[in-house]
Amino acid sequence: MIVGAGIIGLATAFRLARRGHAVTLFDPEPASGATYAAAGMIAPTAEIAPGEEENYRFQRGAIDAWREMASEIEAVTRRRVAIVQTGTLIVGWDASDRRLIDQFRSVATEFGAPMRDATRDGEPELFEGLTARISEGLVMAEDGWLDPDEAVSCLMEANEALGVRLVRERVRLAGASHDGVEVETESGRTLADYGVVTTGANGLPDGLTVPKSPTVRPVRGVTVRVRSLDRSALPTVRAYVRGRAFYMVSRPGGYCVLGATAEEKSQPLVEVGELQRLLRDGLDIVPELEAAPLLEIRNGLRPATTDLRPFFVALEERGWSWSSGHYRHGVTLAPLAALDALSAIKPS
Ligand SMILES: Cc1cc2nc3c(=O)[nH]c(=O)nc-3n(C[C@H](O)[C@H](O)[C@H](O)COP(=O)(O)OP(=O)(O)OC[C@H]3O[C@@H](n4cnc5c(N)ncnc54)[C@H](O)[C@@H]3O)c2cc1C
C-alpha cells in the first residue's frame, strides 16, 4: 500500500503495479499538494546550486527516465506524457543579477555542465518577449519540462488500468500488523505486505515513528498561470531579478506558468506580498504580461530536507518505508524515486 498520491506516490504505484504488485493507494485528494503547484521543469542544469553536485548528477538522468516511464504509460493507456526538451535561457535584470549569473556559471562549469553564452544580437529569437534591456544570457540546451497536470492524469489512468485501488481517504493511523502493515482510514482497517509513505511535506501519519534523520520541512511556493506569449518552442526563461529567482514556462497555445516564490512557511496560502513580488519580477522581465489574462494561482509545500537530498528509508515499524525530501525537484525525480521502491519491495 502507498499513502499519498502526489507525483511520487502515483509514479511509485505505477511502477509497483507494472511489476505485478497489488497496490492500494490512499489519498483524500490525489495530487492536491506540491504536485498541483509545480511548473514541471525538468531542468538539472538550471537547478545547479553550490554544494548540490550530487543532486545534479542524479538529475541528469531524469529526462531519459521520464521518457522511459512515458513509454511505459503509453503502453498501458495509449496516452503519452509529452516531454519537451527546449532548454533554459537564464538572464539577469541588473548588474548585480548578472553577477549572480557569473557565479552560477562558475559553479556549473565546476560541475562540468553543458551551457553556452547567447546574445540578443546573435540570436534575437531566443529573447522574444523579454524586456529590451536584457541583451545576453546563458543557454542550457539539455533542460526540459512536462505538464504535471498531464502527467498526473496519465498516471491516474494507467494506475486504474493496472488495477491500482485508489482509496480517497486520509490515513489517520498506520503501523505494523501481525505479518505485514496496516492503516486505519474512515472506512476501516486495510492490511498489506508493505507500506510506502509518500505524503510530501506532510510528514508521517500517526503511529509511525519519525526518524531523527532525515527530517522534512515545508517550503511554500506559489505559481501563477496566465495566458500570454507562446514560447513553447524556445528555451524556458529563468531570470534573477533584484536577487530573486523568476521563471516562465510557456506551453503550446500560450499557457504560461510563472514562478515561483520560496517561503520557509507551512501555511498553505498565498500572501499578497509574495504574489506582488512574483508578478512584479515577471512584468520586469516579460513586459507583455501586463495585459495577460490571469487564469489561476496555485500554492504548494515543497518537502525539503536539511541536506536538500531526497531519500527512501526504511522506518522503525517493520514493512514501512518513507520516500520524500524531493524539495524543488519532485516532478523531475518521480520516475527515479519510483525505482527505489521497486528495488526495496520484491514481489511476494
Ligand atoms: C511552487 C512549486 C513549483 C515547483 N516546480 C517544480 C518544477 O518545476 N519541477 C520539479 O521537478 N519540481 C517542482 N516542484 C517540486 C515538486 O512539486 C515536489 O517536489 C513534488 O510535487 C513532491 O511530490 P510528493 O508526491 O512527494 O508530494 P505532494 O505532491 O505534496 O503529494 C503528497 C500527497 O499526500 C497526500 N497526503 C498527505 N497526508 C496524507 C495522509 N495522511 N493520508 C493520505 N494521503 C495523504 C496529500 O493529499 C498529497 O496529495 C515545485 C513545487 C512547488 C511548491
Side-chain angles (χ1 to χ4, degrees), residues 3 169-174 183-188 204-207:
V3 183
E169 293 177 12
R170 196 177 79 83
V171 166
R172 44 190 189 209
L173 199 61
V183 296
E184 190 187 295
T185 64
E186 200 186 342
S187 60
L204 295 171
D206 286 350

Side-chain angles (χ1 to χ4, degrees), residues 3-9 26-42 169-172 198-203 205 219-223 247 260-261 298-303 323-324 326-333:
V3 183
I7 195 77
I8 302 296
F26 294 91
D27 198 318
E29 221 181 321
S32 59
T35 303
Y36 179 66
M41 289 176 294
I42 310 174
E169 293 177 12
R170 196 177 79 83
V171 166
R172 44 190 189 209
T198 53
T199 50
N202 297 277
V219 178
R220 186 175 69 209
V222 172
T223 48
Y247 58 72
T261 65
R298 299 185 183 186
N299 69 86
L301 302 175
R302 303 175 184 90
S323 177
S324 185
H326 301 91
Y327 189 33
R328 21 184 241 280
H329 307 129
V331 175
T332 304
L333 293 173

Side-chain angles (χ1 to χ4, degrees), residues 12-13 15 17 35 67-68 84 92 103 143 147 181 200 240 266 334 336:
T12 303
R15 289 226 138 131
T35 303
R67 289 207 167 110
E68 192 186 316
V84 182
Q103 284 167 20
D143 290 347
D147 177 350
V181 297
Y240 290 110
S266 58
L336 297 164

Side-chain angles (χ1 to χ4, degrees), residues 68 93-94 107 119-120 130 135 175 207 212 221-222 274 338 347:
E68 192 186 316
W93 165 250
D94 62 18
V107 177
T119 62
R120 192 186 280 268
L130 306 193
S135 56
K212 273 210 181 89
V222 172
E274 72 181 316

Side-chain angles (χ1 to χ4, degrees), residues 215-250:
T215 55
V216 173
R217 70 177 201 283
V219 178
R220 186 175 69 209
V222 172
T223 48
V224 176
R225 282 115 211 281
V226 299
R227 180 82 50 205
S228 187
L229 74 164
D230 183 346
R231 278 187 53 105
S232 58
L234 293 168
T236 291
V237 175
R238 291 218 187 195
Y240 290 110
V241 194
R242 293 171 283 266
R244 287 188 295 270
F246 166 80
Y247 58 72
M248 182 174 89
V249 183
S250 182

Side-chain angles (χ1 to χ4, degrees), residues 52-53 85 88 100 139 185 187 216 225 233 240 247 270 332 343:
E52 292 188 38
E53 185 165 1
Q85 195 168 19
T88 306
L100 289 176
V139 174
T185 64
S187 60
V216 173
R225 282 115 211 281
Y240 290 110
Y247 58 72
V270 182
T332 304
S343 34

